[in-house]
Amino acid sequence: MSGKGIIKEFKEFAVRGNVIDLAVGVIIGGAFGKIVTSVVNDIIMPPIGKLLGGMNFPDLYVALQNVDPLNADGTRMTLAQAKEAGIAVLAYGQFINVLLDFLIVAFCVFMLVKGINMLKRKEEEKPPQEKTIKECPHCLSEIPVAATRCAHCTSKLEGYVESTLTQSTPI
């Protein structure tokens, strides 16, 4: 296959509507994820940490070595300091933040899908519109449903009643 053929095929693939929709969805999803991360890290976790005695959740960890992770002044090392010192740690505080991020995003997606499903159900519940036209069985032209004769071929249709006008006799 020539290089021009591959480029042409790629262009056709890339400009399909569903590929562009997917790209927009990924970009919006990434931006939404950043917003949720900010909400968790900057709005939800600080008050919870304050209520629990001034904890900084991202800095919660357990040292996996028999090393006392203390600074020279006797304070506990932050997660970044412990990692910089080469101490193996289990960073459960960051895991809690990521878990909250996931739960918020999952709940938002759930609500979005629930709303879409509700709209689909409302559409399905609408009664189908009554037909206003039908097809003539003889010439296949479209005619009104109430018609008893075809306007195109003048064929008699179902429901046609022969007119019985009596002729008057001359006097």
Side-chain angles (χ1 to χ4, degrees):
M1 185 178 266
S2 70
K4 288 182 181 180
I6 291 174
I7 292 172
K8 181 182 176 195
E9 199 174 327
F10 178 74
K11 281 182 184 178
E12 288 173 4
F13 168 78
V15 295
R16 285 187 191 147
N18 53 357
V19 173
I20 294 171
D21 292 344
L22 179 63
V24 169
V26 168
I27 292 167
I28 296 289
F32 180 70
K34 288 180 181 179
I35 291 170
V36 170
T37 299
S38 177
V39 167
V40 169
N41 292 339
D42 303 330
I43 295 174
I44 295 175
M45 296 312 282
I48 292 174
K50 184 76 171 167
L51 288 173
L52 296 175
M55 283 189 230
N56 185 9
F57 270 88
D59 280 338
L60 294 178
Y61 65 91
V62 173
L64 297 177
Q65 299 171 338
N66 285 336
V67 176
D68 200 11
L70 297 176
N71 290 318
D73 61 356
T75 59
R76 184 173 166 87
M77 290 182 179
T78 65
L79 178 62
Q81 291 170 334
K83 284 183 177 182
E84 189 176 302
I87 301 172
V89 295
L90 184 68
Y92 68 91
Q94 288 184 341
F95 176 75
I96 291 171
N97 282 0
V98 172
L99 183 64
L100 278 174
D101 283 356
F102 169 77
L103 291 174
I104 291 170
V105 170
F107 180 74
C108 290
V109 170
F110 168 75
M111 294 305 289
L112 179 68
V113 170
K114 185 177 170 103
I116 290 170
N117 288 341
M118 189 171 66
L119 290 175
K120 282 183 181 178
R121 266 187 257 122
K122 284 184 180 179
E123 272 185 27
E124 290 171 2
E125 290 173 1
K126 289 180 183 176
Q129 292 182 347
E130 274 191 44
K131 283 186 162 183
T132 58
I133 58 170
K134 64 181 177 181
E135 200 173 74
C136 173
H138 304 287
C139 69
L140 304 178
S141 299
E142 290 183 346
I143 55 175
V145 170
T148 56
R149 273 193 101 118
C150 178
H152 303 280
C153 70
T154 68
S155 298
K156 295 175 184 172
L157 304 172
E158 189 178 313
Y160 178 79
V161 178
E162 191 76 39
S163 177
T164 55
L165 292 176
T166 55
Q167 294 182 354
S168 58
T169 54
I171 305 180

